[in-house]
Amino acid sequence: ELQAAVLQMTRVKVLQTLAWIERRGGLVRSHGARYQFDHHLVQEVVRSTLPLPLRQEYHALLAEALAAHEEVDLASGSGATDRVAHQLAVHLIESTDPHACLPFVRPAIRHLSVHAGEEPSRAFLCRVLDELDRIPPADRIDLLLRYAGGLHAVGRQEEEQGVLDEAETIADRVGDEPLRTRVAMARGMAWMHRARPEKAVEALRTASGRADAGGFDDVGALARQHLGFGDSKTGRHEEALEQYAAGRVVARRTGQRRRESGLLGQQAAARWALGREAEAEAAAAEALALAREAEDWAVETRVHGQKGRICARAGRREEAVDAFRRLLEIVEGRGLRAH
């Protein structure tokens, strides 16, 4: 249907043309109700023969047709599922106006992370940052921080620091305190990933102080969550509980349900670490209930994983197996690859 709309042909004429191409050269093959190129290299060769202006126009028209079919607002991105957002972002970044992909980049990255893995997600985000030169400062910082957050997982720590340097430079240039707070938080987590918890806590306290001083509730709960994590990593579990409790107050006041469920999950982990199992179980149950209400499968998997590891260390094998079984049910039920 999309090809028919773009080429201004009837659907049956498009199907007849594809059938003729399949018979004559085998460049495409029918697979059920769909046609696919016989090999991805064939697709690349065909694509490379198209003049750039024509290729860009095709991508723009395909994006318009897809948006109309899925009832998506191209200007704001509203109405798009993560899957459709990914398809639109891929077409729009190749179109005559690549910056039009920006409303769809975040859900596209999320879709790739879950269904393709972190490397394809990271590669697409890198492309967006490299090729688009008119990204608004706040959006560019957000994307830079997302990119930096994944680099430590593949051992690219120097590159991670460079990305954070760029984010900090932009935040300082525009004089945006909430953005500077977010960069400071990212710095703290980068130190945490490099096994430098003391430096991490120092940076995270700076971020938390800025959030409190400026009344930045949208980042204040996150700052407390990260600082609590830093305290836990250095064995200060009581201090971590204080940070999580303070963060939860902010999250609840501002309606950040997913953030609140995450803070509850980390409260459960800190209480388990302190041997306060009854309190930990209660916090975990509350975190799971809130996570399900907020449809936050990431917190669900994290809490089940935490409980499974703690029960296993305590020799409670049946409880550990049950927790890990529940985690796998969520992962497999959602078709996740990244978790």
Side-chain angles (χ1 to χ4, degrees):
E1 292 183 10
L2 297 182
Q3 290 90 338
V6 168
L7 297 172
Q8 298 181 356
M9 297 167 61
T10 64
R11 188 170 184 269
V12 69
K13 183 62 177 177
V14 170
L15 292 172
Q16 288 173 340
T17 302
L18 289 170
W20 180 83
I21 294 172
E22 182 177 16
R23 289 195 306 271
R24 287 294 298 265
L27 294 179
V28 296
R29 302 285 182 189
S30 58
H31 293 271
R34 299 174 63 86
Y35 277 87
Q36 296 178 351
F37 281 96
D38 191 48
H39 192 280
H40 72 89
L41 291 178
V42 174
Q43 180 179 1
E44 289 302 316
V45 170
V46 172
R47 182 178 181 278
S48 68
T49 62
L50 291 174
L52 178 60
L54 179 59
R55 190 167 71 236
Q56 290 176 324
E57 193 64 30
Y58 277 150
H59 279 294
L61 291 171
L62 282 167
E64 290 177 8
L66 177 60
H69 183 267
E70 299 291 338
E71 298 183 349
V72 173
D73 181 6
L74 281 177
S76 67
S78 63
T81 63
D82 288 358
R83 177 185 61 81
V84 171
H86 171 242
Q87 294 173 326
L88 287 168
V90 168
H91 283 306
L92 290 168
I93 199 170
E94 296 275 5
S95 73
T96 49
D97 180 17
H99 287 80
C101 78
L102 285 174
F104 305 100
V105 169
R106 293 174 184 82
I109 293 166
R110 187 165 56 241
H111 173 82
L112 286 170
S113 295
V114 171
H115 296 286
E118 290 301 324
E119 186 54 39
S121 172
R122 193 162 43 247
F124 182 70
L125 180 51
C126 182
R127 181 183 178 188
V128 169
L129 290 168
D130 285 347
E131 295 184 12
L132 305 187
D133 57 2
R134 300 196 311 275
I135 304 176
D139 290 329
R140 185 165 186 86
I141 288 174
D142 179 65
L143 296 177
L144 285 167
L145 296 184
R146 288 169 185 260
Y147 186 53
L151 291 175
H152 70 89
V154 290
R156 292 155 63 178
Q157 295 175 340
E158 294 304 318
E159 186 177 351
E160 178 187 18
Q161 291 299 322
V163 172
L164 291 175
D165 287 344
E166 181 184 346
E168 186 172 37
T169 298
I170 296 172
D172 288 342
R173 186 179 71 241
V174 299
D176 191 307
E177 280 301 309
L179 290 178
R180 293 182 67 213
T181 301
R182 290 193 61 201
V183 175
M185 284 192 294
R187 287 273 191 206
M189 294 310 294
W191 284 120
M192 192 69 70
H193 297 142
R194 299 178 77 168
R196 301 286 298 278
E198 295 299 336
K199 290 188 73 67
V201 168
E202 179 183 350
L204 291 169
R205 289 198 191 285
T206 297
S208 181
R210 286 176 177 170
D212 290 344
F216 311 138
D217 285 344
D218 55 338
V219 294
L222 181 59
R224 294 287 189 178
Q225 186 173 9
H226 285 337
L227 184 53
F229 181 73
D231 283 332
S232 282
K233 281 293 185 180
T234 53
R236 297 193 292 264
H237 299 296
E238 291 288 359
E239 289 87 343
L241 285 172
E242 292 177 8
Q243 297 296 341
Y244 295 147
R248 189 182 170 199
V249 169
V250 176
R252 179 179 290 180
R253 185 175 69 243
T254 54
Q256 299 178 61
R257 304 292 278 171
R258 290 190 174 190
R259 181 71 57 209
E260 186 180 357
S261 69
L263 285 157
L264 274 166
Q266 288 177 291
Q267 279 184 318
R271 285 169 175 155
W272 268 316
L274 289 167
R276 289 149 57 177
E277 293 191 10
E279 294 180 18
E281 292 280 0
E286 192 174 356
L288 288 171
L290 191 56
R292 289 174 188 134
E293 178 187 322
E295 298 183 344
D296 190 347
W297 51 263
V299 169
E300 285 192 67
T301 56
R302 195 178 305 125
V303 172
H304 286 310
Q306 288 167 343
K307 182 175 180 180
R309 287 190 295 272
I310 288 162
C311 290
R313 286 197 295 268
R316 292 151 52 189
R317 185 176 181 278
E318 290 186 5
E319 292 180 66
V321 169
D322 182 65
F324 289 132
R325 178 182 58 78
R326 291 174 182 273
L327 185 153
L328 286 173
E329 286 175 355
I330 297 170
V331 171
E332 293 172 356
R334 292 180 173 271
L336 307 179
R337 289 187 55 179
H339 298 269

